[in-house]
């Protein structure tokens, strides 16, 4: 048990280090020509069964959210937040590539994700893949996820990053939206990201390296 | 000791008119709600508050619903940008003269394998089983997804 806790602590440290490395990268990019994009090559499948790769995310500002359809609270809440903001933005949101990436490939088939996402803004895309493909994209984007045993059978749950990642046209990390962040903040960030002049080097948005939000655990 | 009292509660529930069933219990359950589920969603959620007006602690040990394959009692939290969620081992304590809230960002009932999508206005029957008080029936009122939200953190 202690070892498990240590493992989690190590994983969290790794994420913190990765996040601060990301912030470092942004600062460096302000001074030097950008060469490193956030993320890396991946191969996944969209909800129409089409193969997708990192190339699909280049050239357009991208909103990435990692979750799973069995997720009862944070995923529908976040997808609703995105849907509401996109509705308020109207056609301006067409500039964004908004992608829900599954961390639960064992249960999230392209068909399941397509049906699930039909309840949200139709511009939200869904990516899923094999266990190995999900592991690759999560590693590329410094996203934490971990399978937790449930009360039996197929009833496991997934711990996962609850943060929305904002990437600029060159796939550089431009900011984040925290879970539970005020809707008007989220809308402002998405609007800024979609603006044609937005460039992460010129105007890095907050969220990276910032104090994490207070835990929402009850008393 | 435990068995006879459980049987007594069961007997009381069996003979009491439905409206009086709660009179046998020190538990007061308020605001049972659920959220409308996305299309094809394999899970639904339940929130409610359990107050214990009695002198003796109790414990929510299990839950079930005819509209779900099974129901688990979960705790979730978001810390450092990571959402963690797991079943509550051994059930959820309801302290004497205290209460426990199942609410967004905290404890909840996870209804796995809904028999039908939960739509706004639906009532989802759930039986909560307590260690002392035995079974308590509630109906989760299904609200629009956006109406049952975690408090904004900033």
């Amino acid at each position: 048990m202690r070892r498990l806790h240590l493992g989690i602590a190590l994983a969290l440290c790794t994420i913190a280090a990765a996040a601060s490395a990301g912030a470092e990268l942004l600062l460096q990019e302000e001074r030097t020509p950008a060469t490193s994009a956030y993320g890396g090559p991946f191969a996944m499948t969209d909800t129409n069964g089409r193969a997708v790769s990192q190339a699909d995310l280049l050239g357009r500002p991208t909103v990435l959210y990692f979750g799973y359809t069995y997720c009862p609270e944070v995923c529908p809440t976040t997808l609703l937040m995105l849907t509401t903001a996109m509705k308020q933005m109207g056609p301006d949101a067409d500039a964004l590539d908004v992608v829900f990436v599954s961390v639960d490939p064992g249960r999230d088939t392209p068909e399941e994700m397509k049906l699930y996402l039909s309840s949200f803004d139709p511009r939200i895309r869904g990516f899923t893949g094999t266990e190995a493909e999900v592991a690759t994209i999560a590693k590329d984007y410094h996203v934490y996820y971990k399978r937790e045993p449930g009360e039996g059978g197929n009833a496991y749950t997934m711990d996962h990053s609850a943060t929305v990642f904002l990437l600029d046209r060159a796939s550089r990390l431009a900011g984040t939206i925290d879970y539970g962040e005020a809707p008007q903040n989220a809308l402002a960030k998405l609007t800024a990201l979609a603006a044609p002049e937005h460039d992460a080097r010129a105007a890095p948005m907050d969220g990276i390296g910032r104090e994490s939000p207070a835990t929402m655990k009850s008393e | 000791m435990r068995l006879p009292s459980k049987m007594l509660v069961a007997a009381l529930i069996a003979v009491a008119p439905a409206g009086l069933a709660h009179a046998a219990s020190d538990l007061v359950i308020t605001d049972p709600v659920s959220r409308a589920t996305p299309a094809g969603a394999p899970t639904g959620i339940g929130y409610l508050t359990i107050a214990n007006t009695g002198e003796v602690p109790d414990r929510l040990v299990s839950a079930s619903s005819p509209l779900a394959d099974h129901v688990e009692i979960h705790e979730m939290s978001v810390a450092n940008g990571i959402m963690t969620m797991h079943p509550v081992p051994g059930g959820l304590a309801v302290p004497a003269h205290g209460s426990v809230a199942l609410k967004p960002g905290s404890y909840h009932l996870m209804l796995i394998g809904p028999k039908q999508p939960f739509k706004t206005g639906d009532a989802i029957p759930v039986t909560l089983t307590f260690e002392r008080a035995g079974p308590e029936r509630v109906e989760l009122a299904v609200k629009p997804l956006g109406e049952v939200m975690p408090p904004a953190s900033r």
Side-chain angles (χ1 to χ4, degrees):
Chain A
M1 207 56 188
R2 172 152 298 186
R3 178 161 297 181
L4 181 64
H5 284 150
L6 188 63
I8 290 167
L10 279 174
L12 290 173
C13 288
T14 309
I15 289 155
S20 79
E24 191 74 12
L25 193 64
L26 278 179
L27 291 173
Q28 279 175 11
E29 284 181 1
E30 282 182 69
R31 287 179 241 113
T32 55
T35 48
S36 340
Y38 175 59
F42 62 82
M44 297 198 71
T45 305
D46 73 9
T47 52
N48 292 318
R50 202 174 61 92
V52 284
S53 70
Q54 191 188 17
D56 286 74
L57 305 183
L58 294 171
R60 273 154 65 83
T62 301
V63 178
L64 280 185
Y65 180 65
F66 292 75
Y68 67 122
T69 67
Y70 269 74
C71 164
E73 183 178 313
V74 297
C75 304
T77 299
T78 302
L79 291 168
L80 180 68
M81 176 275 287
L82 292 170
T83 294
T84 306
M86 291 169 80
K87 190 176 176 190
Q88 287 171 296
M89 290 169 70
D92 288 352
D94 292 350
L96 299 173
D97 231 340
V98 183
V99 186
F100 179 51
V101 183
S102 175
V103 294
D104 187 12
R107 293 185 299 204
D108 288 343
T109 62
E111 297 75 26
E112 301 256 6
M113 288 187 86
K114 186 173 191 164
L115 179 62
Y116 186 84
L117 287 173
S118 72
S119 294
F120 300 99
D121 191 291
R123 292 169 288 190
I124 301 177
R125 309 169 69 188
F127 289 0
T128 188
T130 63
E131 297 277 352
E133 286 167 348
V134 168
T136 298
I137 193 170
K139 186 164 173 281
D140 285 350
Y141 291 89
H142 310 304
V143 167
Y144 173 83
Y145 71 105
K146 182 169 178 289
R147 184 171 160 155
E148 286 287 331
E151 288 177 355
N154 215 26
Y156 59 88
T157 62
M158 302 296 302
D159 292 352
H160 62 89
S161 164
T163 301
V164 175
F165 298 95
L166 308 175
L167 280 59
D168 73 3
R169 287 174 172 74
S171 225
R172 290 176 301 234
L173 186 59
T176 57
I177 300 171
D178 293 332
Y179 182 63
E181 189 161 333
Q184 64 270 25
N185 285 7
L187 176 62
K189 289 180 181 183
L190 292 168
T191 303
L193 187 72
E197 67 276 14
H198 177 74
D199 185 324
R201 283 173 301 171
M205 283 185 275
D206 70 342
I208 304 302
R210 172 184 268 274
E211 284 293 308
S212 54
T215 168
M216 292 168 67
K217 210 166 161 173
S218 73
E219 58 283 336
Chain B
M1 192 62 186
R2 186 172 293 162
L3 192 59
S5 91
K6 249 190 182 169
M7 285 170 65
L8 180 63
V9 170
L12 280 172
I13 286 167
V15 297
L20 292 181
H22 282 248
S25 164
D26 291 327
L27 301 179
V28 181
I29 298 165
T30 51
D31 299 326
V33 296
S34 183
R35 308 167 90 187
T37 50
T43 60
I45 202 156
Y47 301 116
L48 44 87
T49 299
I50 307 160
N52 183 356
T53 60
E55 307 290 332
V56 189
D58 206 337
R59 182 173 287 274
L60 173 62
V61 288
S62 66
S64 64
S65 170
L67 293 184
D69 288 343
H70 63 288
V71 180
E72 294 181 2
I73 305 157
H74 280 191
E75 180 177 20
M76 72 81 81
S77 65
V78 180
N80 300 315
I82 308 290
M83 188 281 294
T84 56
M85 183 168 77
H86 54 84
V88 180
L92 193 54
V94 189
H97 297 295
S99 70
V100 61
L102 288 77
K103 61 184 183 182
S106 178
Y107 299 113
H108 58 254
L109 301 176
M110 177 134 153
L111 290 85
I112 298 166
K115 307 281 190 213
Q116 62 199 49
F118 294 177
K119 294 194 167 61
T120 300
D122 285 355
I124 311 298
V126 169
T127 300
L128 306 172
T129 302
F130 293 89
E131 198 170 67
R132 291 183 56 86
E136 295 271 356
R137 282 206 57 186
V138 297
E139 284 194 341
L140 306 173
V142 181
K143 308 270 191 189
L145 189 52
E147 264 185 38
V148 188
M149 298 286 268
S153 60
R154 67 180 166 94

